[in-house]
Amino acid sequence: MISYSDLAERKLTIRFFSVIGSVTTLCMAIIALYNNQFILACSLLGSSALFASPFCLGDRVAVSSLIVLYTLYTLMIYLVLTGGSHGTGPIWIFIVSPVTFFVRGFRRGIIDLIIFVTCVTGAFYLSNYLELYSGYSVYFPTRIIASFIIVALLSGFYEYFRQIYSQRLIELIHKNEYLATRDPLTNLPNRRYAMAELEQFAKQQQTASIIIADVDNFKKINDQYGHLVGDEVLKHLADLFVAQLGENDMVARWGGEEFLFFLRHKNKQQATQFANEIHLALSHNRLDIGANQLAVTVSMGISTLTTTVSIDKAMHKADELLYQAKEQGKNQTCV
């Protein structure tokens, strides 16, 4: 189960497993050769090669993980069947459960381990029935399997609570990221988020339009009706602006009573039409304040972001045009 951005960490861990598995089985193969156990040595050499395979698979982490895991399963069952070196082969099965839960997660790990325990139990039976190894005592298989189940349960509990903690941590990270990019009053994207979107779009070298809008007479509204009404004005505008947006467009609270519209792939004429629709919507949607209705208007300046016009230049031009609209009587747009 890959969550958030742990792909690089998983890749590193799988390779760490690969190195340990490859080196360990290679050493065991050398010892087996020294003891003239040629079949065991060949099996261990093959396992060593498979354990090293993730280094040849690059970023295919899922495939690498499964190769490491099922190579481990196969080797463990073989060691149970044959007894390994001097009957110590089954002891190695205890490393299976933590590796399983890391690779497969909690739910799939439980299923895999149930299948593995069934196969190991069958391997103990077949080892005696086929006379592959007859050195196990009567009680050894049941003790090994019982011990393995206990270790697997402990590993499972750890993995279960680790996943719960990780999920809560990821949710908290997402929540913090959301809060860091949102204006708490209007719930619009804030200046930081808007700049990140502009910079990302600028890298694509495409055309867009920028509109900076400022609430007319906002200080007078605050002085006359109070700051609570001023806040309601900003929230009213935010809701109205969002309702007018196209699918690829964005509006952010730029600061104070200023808003920024980022109209992707829209030229000057389309941006002007959009601004006129904003003015029209405001004229038809007054803000209720008690028994009265407040007519809220905005002044806007429009500039175009192109391959030859930087974000700073476009923002500066939109600001200039906004103040020009203010000077010319407010409640209008300058392009």
Side-chain angles (χ1 to χ4, degrees), residues 37 41 51 75 83 99 129 147 161 185 201 207 247 274 290 310 322:
Q37 296 174 300
F51 278 131
L75 178 60
V99 178
Y129 180 77
S147 300
F161 289 112
L185 177 64
F201 186 83
T207 301
E247 184 178 353
F274 175 82
S310 67
L322 167 63

Side-chain angles (χ1 to χ4, degrees), residues 1-295:
M1 176 179 166
I2 299 178
S3 58
Y4 204 57
S5 58
D6 63 348
L7 186 61
E9 289 80 2
R10 286 180 63 85
K11 180 180 177 182
L12 181 62
T13 307
I14 290 299
R15 289 192 171 184
F16 180 67
F17 285 167
S18 300
V19 170
I20 293 176
S22 183
V23 171
T24 303
T25 49
L26 181 60
C27 293
M28 292 169 67
I30 293 170
I31 295 171
L33 280 173
Y34 180 77
N35 293 327
N36 296 320
Q37 296 174 300
F38 296 109
I39 297 176
L40 176 60
C42 290
S43 301
L44 291 168
L45 284 172
S47 299
S48 180
L50 286 170
F51 278 131
S53 62
F55 288 94
C56 304
L57 294 173
D59 292 329
R60 298 170 68 182
V61 177
V63 176
S64 301
S65 303
L66 293 177
I67 289 175
V68 169
L69 182 62
Y70 293 127
T71 298
L72 182 63
Y73 284 2
T74 305
L75 178 60
M76 294 301 106
I77 292 169
Y78 173 78
L79 291 176
V80 170
L81 278 169
T82 62
S85 178
H86 306 293
T88 61
I91 297 173
W92 293 96
I93 69 172
F94 292 104
I95 66 175
V96 166
S97 55
V99 178
T100 298
F101 284 122
F102 175 81
V103 171
R104 300 289 279 166
F106 179 69
R107 293 183 180 178
R108 291 181 180 178
I110 289 175
I111 295 171
D112 276 17
L113 287 175
I114 291 172
I115 295 171
F116 177 74
V117 168
T118 304
C119 291
V120 167
T121 304
F124 274 119
Y125 171 77
L126 287 174
S127 176
N128 184 57
Y129 180 77
L130 300 176
E131 298 181 352
L132 295 172
Y133 181 75
S134 57
Y136 299 135
S137 70
V138 176
Y139 303 104
F140 184 76
T142 53
R143 299 288 171 85
I144 282 285
I145 292 170
S147 300
F148 177 82
I149 290 173
I150 292 172
V151 171
L153 287 172
L154 292 173
S155 298
F157 277 120
Y158 170 79
E159 177 64 19
Y160 175 73
F161 289 112
R162 187 198 66 80
Q163 285 192 7
I164 290 177
Y165 174 77
S166 296
Q167 188 60 37
R168 288 176 180 173
L169 185 62
I170 290 166
E171 290 172 359
L172 183 61
I173 290 170
H174 285 309
K175 183 178 180 180
N176 287 339
E177 285 182 347
Y178 178 83
L179 293 175
T181 57
R182 289 279 153 176
D183 171 56
L185 177 64
T186 62
N187 202 34
L188 293 178
N190 60 17
R191 189 184 189 114
R192 173 187 174 186
Y193 182 87
M195 281 302 300
E197 288 291 302
L198 285 168
E199 289 168 359
Q200 185 64 32
F201 186 83
K203 294 177 183 177
Q204 302 172 16
Q205 296 186 335
Q206 298 180 24
T207 301
S209 289
I210 292 173
I211 303 176
I212 297 181
D214 185 88
V215 184
D216 294 328
N217 305 313
F218 189 68
K219 185 178 183 303
K220 184 178 178 181
I221 292 172
N222 277 330
D223 292 342
Q224 184 173 349
Y225 300 103
H227 289 282
L228 290 178
V229 172
D231 289 347
E232 289 302 315
V233 167
L234 295 176
K235 289 192 281 186
H236 170 71
L237 288 172
D239 292 340
L240 186 142
F241 292 159
V242 169
Q244 299 298 315
L245 289 178
E247 184 178 353
N248 296 317
D249 302 333
M250 182 191 76
V251 61
R253 187 177 179 190
W254 195 239
E257 65 269 25
E258 283 191 342
F259 296 86
L260 173 79
F261 292 93
F262 175 34
L263 310 179
R264 295 177 178 86
H265 313 300
K266 283 186 169 59
N267 57 30
K268 189 187 303 181
Q269 288 73 26
Q270 291 169 315
T272 303
Q273 181 181 350
F274 175 82
N276 291 335
E277 290 171 359
I278 292 291
H279 288 302
L280 183 63
L282 282 172
S283 67
H284 292 158
N285 292 273
R286 298 192 172 195
L287 176 64
D288 293 324
I289 48 171
N292 301 316
Q293 288 188 323
L294 179 63

